Amino acid sequence: MKKRTFLKGAAAAVALPLAMTGPAFAQEKTKVGFIYVGPINDGGWTQHHHESALKMVEEIGEDKVELVYQESVPEGPDAERAMTQMALGGAKIIFTTSFGYMDPTINVAAKFPDVKFEHATGYKTADNVSAYSARFYEGRAVMGTIAGHMTKSNVLGYIASVPIPEVVRGINSAYIHAKKVNPDVEMKIIWLYTWMDPAKEADAARTLIEQGADVIFQHTDSTAPLAAAQDAGNVIGFGQAGDMSEYAPSPRVSSIIDNWAPYYVSRVEAAMDGTWESHNVWEGIGDGMVGIGEISDAVPAEVKAEAEAMRDAIAAGEYHPFTGPLKKQDGSDWLAEGEVADDGTLAGMNFYVEGLTGEIPQ
């Protein structure tokens, strides 16, 4: 802001409030920062965070908000450096959009108590740190229902990213609901230990297809698994984080879509008007944070209707994807008939349900 010289004495007392209404004293923009784990054109996770950030700017107004971001930031020390630079650069609120940013976010936030931090998919909070996540497992239930009906080989393939509860929940939910409609299904899982690596994702998809899978799930960020499914033919898959509609009507037959924009609008506005408070939220289909992409015509009408009915029941709170009876992988009882899993168990889920094979990497 440019400095101005005011009249001295009593006249200045009158001139000051009048002058501050002029163009030179227009309200300073609130700088909002985003740290992304992948490129903003990945077609999935990062792209949809970024598109939601752009919608936030559009809704609040470019005259009020300045968006700054850094893409493809590795989880770990590099993330701390990026967050620190952003805070030093004047960002008033910073969104850190990957699970592995959790400890770096807490560490940097302690050094900048006047900056608000929002961490996606984690669970640690502080006075100036909030956590937010989406109930992606609700979408996996819908996708699992479609998969169980449509598989011909009865082999489902799942490309898993990083062994954290979020990913384990998704595997379990997809398998439970595929098994409900098709007791003969089995699921093969490949862990990549990365959120996005198109070459590894494509290799994993091809390996699963070679092992007999004709349905590919992914909890990774690129469109490479769908491209591999398309090349193989007679294989279906699902968009992850974004619609990935360029692969519809097949192999992409539906998708789980992340909708972060309303949350970003509300939190930035709260930071701007002084009402921001630390919290930990977990929202799903009913809240609008998780969307189900259009179910394509490649899906039989009766299967589409069943999947949409499940979507609507979850949204209305009439059905929970983790409802008993359910057992753990070792055969021990977990949920009794009609019992619903509590959020604490789901948030820390570190076990497979009965019927899944293999071990969760540690």
Side-chain angles (χ1 to χ4, degrees), residues 81 88 100 148-149 212 219 307:
R81 285 193 289 271
L88 289 172
H149 279 298
H219 200 134

Side-chain angles (χ1 to χ4, degrees), residues 110-180:
K111 302 173 184 176
F112 297 92
D114 294 332
V115 178
K116 314 301 183 188
F117 290 82
E118 296 268 353
H119 176 238
T121 72
Y123 53 85
K124 293 183 179 180
T125 61
D127 288 346
N128 63 328
V129 180
S130 281
Y132 64 102
S133 190
R135 296 180 184 269
F136 307 116
Y137 66 84
E138 294 181 347
R140 304 286 178 202
V142 179
M143 303 302 110
T145 300
I146 295 172
H149 279 298
M150 292 192 68
T151 179
K152 294 180 174 60
S153 67
N154 291 330
V155 180
L156 313 178
Y158 205 110
I159 304 171
S161 49
V162 180
I164 61 173
E166 173 193 323
V167 181
V168 177
R169 285 192 300 271
I171 293 169
N172 282 333
S173 182
Y175 177 74
I176 288 167
H177 291 85
K179 193 82 170 176
K180 277 187 175 183

Side-chain angles (χ1 to χ4, degrees), residues 53-352:
L54 294 175
K55 289 179 183 177
M56 174 272 297
V57 174
E58 180 181 356
E59 184 161 334
I60 296 176
E62 293 184 5
D63 58 328
K64 298 177 181 178
V65 174
E66 178 186 353
L67 175 65
V68 294
Y69 65 90
Q70 187 168 342
E71 58 189 313
S72 300
V73 178
E75 298 172 332
D78 287 335
E80 285 203 29
R81 285 193 289 271
M83 294 173 204
T84 298
Q85 291 170 357
M86 203 165 274
L88 289 172
K92 301 301 183 185
I93 181 169
I94 299 173
F95 294 86
T96 61
T97 61
S98 189
F99 180 83
Y101 293 157
M102 182 165 60
D103 287 337
T105 300
I106 294 293
N107 294 342
V108 175
K111 302 173 184 176
F112 297 92
D114 294 332
V115 178
K116 314 301 183 188
F117 290 82
E118 296 268 353
H119 176 238
T121 72
Y123 53 85
K124 293 183 179 180
T125 61
D127 288 346
N128 63 328
V129 180
S130 281
Y132 64 102
S133 190
R135 296 180 184 269
F136 307 116
Y137 66 84
E138 294 181 347
R140 304 286 178 202
V142 179
M143 303 302 110
T145 300
I146 295 172
H149 279 298
M150 292 192 68
T151 179
K152 294 180 174 60
S153 67
N154 291 330
V155 180
L156 313 178
Y158 205 110
I159 304 171
S161 49
V162 180
I164 61 173
E166 173 193 323
V167 181
V168 177
R169 285 192 300 271
I171 293 169
N172 282 333
S173 182
Y175 177 74
I176 288 167
H177 291 85
K179 193 82 170 176
K180 277 187 175 183
V181 300
N182 183 351
D184 296 325
V185 297
E186 62 175 306
M187 180 176 281
K188 298 180 183 292
I189 303 164
I190 294 179
W191 290 92
L192 299 187
Y193 308 98
T194 182
W195 294 107
M196 181 175 176
D197 187 321
K200 287 184 178 181
E201 292 174 65
D203 285 344
R206 286 191 287 265
T207 298
L208 291 167
I209 292 167
E210 289 171 1
Q211 293 175 352
D214 61 356
V215 179
I216 300 295
F217 294 91
Q218 65 178 96
H219 200 134
T220 52
D221 294 350
S222 85
T223 58
L226 283 174
Q230 187 176 63
D231 290 342
N234 299 315
V235 177
I236 66 168
F238 304 94
Q240 159 66 18
D243 196 50
M244 300 185 180
S245 58
E246 62 267 37
Y247 290 95
S250 184
R252 171 246 173 252
V253 295
S254 188
S255 54
I256 300 173
I257 300 173
D258 303 339
N259 180 22
W260 306 107
Y263 182 81
Y264 290 156
V265 170
S266 68
R267 298 305 280 167
V268 171
E269 287 182 337
M272 293 171 68
D273 64 23
T275 60
W276 189 98
E277 293 182 349
S278 174
H279 67 193
N280 190 337
V281 299
W282 199 8
E283 299 182 345
I285 295 176
D287 306 292
M289 191 174 275
V290 176
I292 302 301
E294 181 181 4
I295 300 173
S296 79
D297 292 339
V299 178
E302 63 274 15
V303 176
K304 179 177 180 179
E306 184 177 342
E308 290 178 338
M310 175 173 288
R311 174 201 64 196
D312 295 344
I314 292 172
E318 298 168 355
Y319 176 72
H320 192 291
F322 289 102
T323 300
L326 289 172
K327 294 179 181 290
K328 294 184 179 181
Q329 184 185 45
D330 62 7
S332 62
D333 291 332
W334 175 31
L335 297 173
E337 178 78 36
E339 185 181 3
V340 172
D342 63 87
D343 278 355
T345 301
L346 294 179
M349 183 170 277
N350 60 355
F351 59 87
Y352 285 145

